[in-house]
């Protein structure tokens, strides 16, 4: 999944679902070493294990 994220989603606003209540929304800043980095708000980041991602899609509301 990491190559797909780097090639198609870098710099895009996305919604990442990891199961249960774990949903993240932000701009894809990086994806390396099995970790996706999302900028949630200006200068605030979330780091998500690529292995825990169930779905990832474009955020059409942003």
């Amino acid at each position: 999944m990491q190559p797909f994220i780097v090639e198609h989603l870098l710099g895009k606003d996305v919604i990442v679902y990891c199961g249960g209540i774990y949903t993240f929304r932000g701009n894809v800043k990086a994806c390396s070493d099995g970790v996706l980095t999302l900028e949630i708000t200006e200068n605030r980041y979330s780091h998500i294990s690529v292995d825990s991602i169930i779905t990832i899609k474009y955020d059409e509301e942003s």
Side-chain angles (χ1 to χ4, degrees):
M1 182 181 297
Q2 183 172 309
F4 176 83
I5 292 170
V6 171
E7 186 174 333
H8 298 286
L9 301 175
L10 200 61
K12 306 287 186 196
D13 292 328
V14 297
I15 300 170
V16 179
Y17 176 66
C18 297
I21 63 169
Y22 299 105
T23 302
F24 303 88
R25 175 179 267 145
N27 186 275
V28 177
K29 291 299 180 181
C31 189
S32 63
D33 299 326
V35 177
L36 170 64
T37 301
L38 292 182
E39 185 173 27
I40 304 303
T41 60
E42 190 172 339
N43 295 320
R44 185 169 168 226
Y45 299 89
S46 285
H47 305 282
I48 304 161
S49 170
V50 171
D51 291 339
S52 68
I53 297 172
I54 295 173
T55 62
I56 186 168
K57 67 176 189 167
Y58 291 111
D59 185 355
E60 297 173 4
E61 294 180 19
S62 61

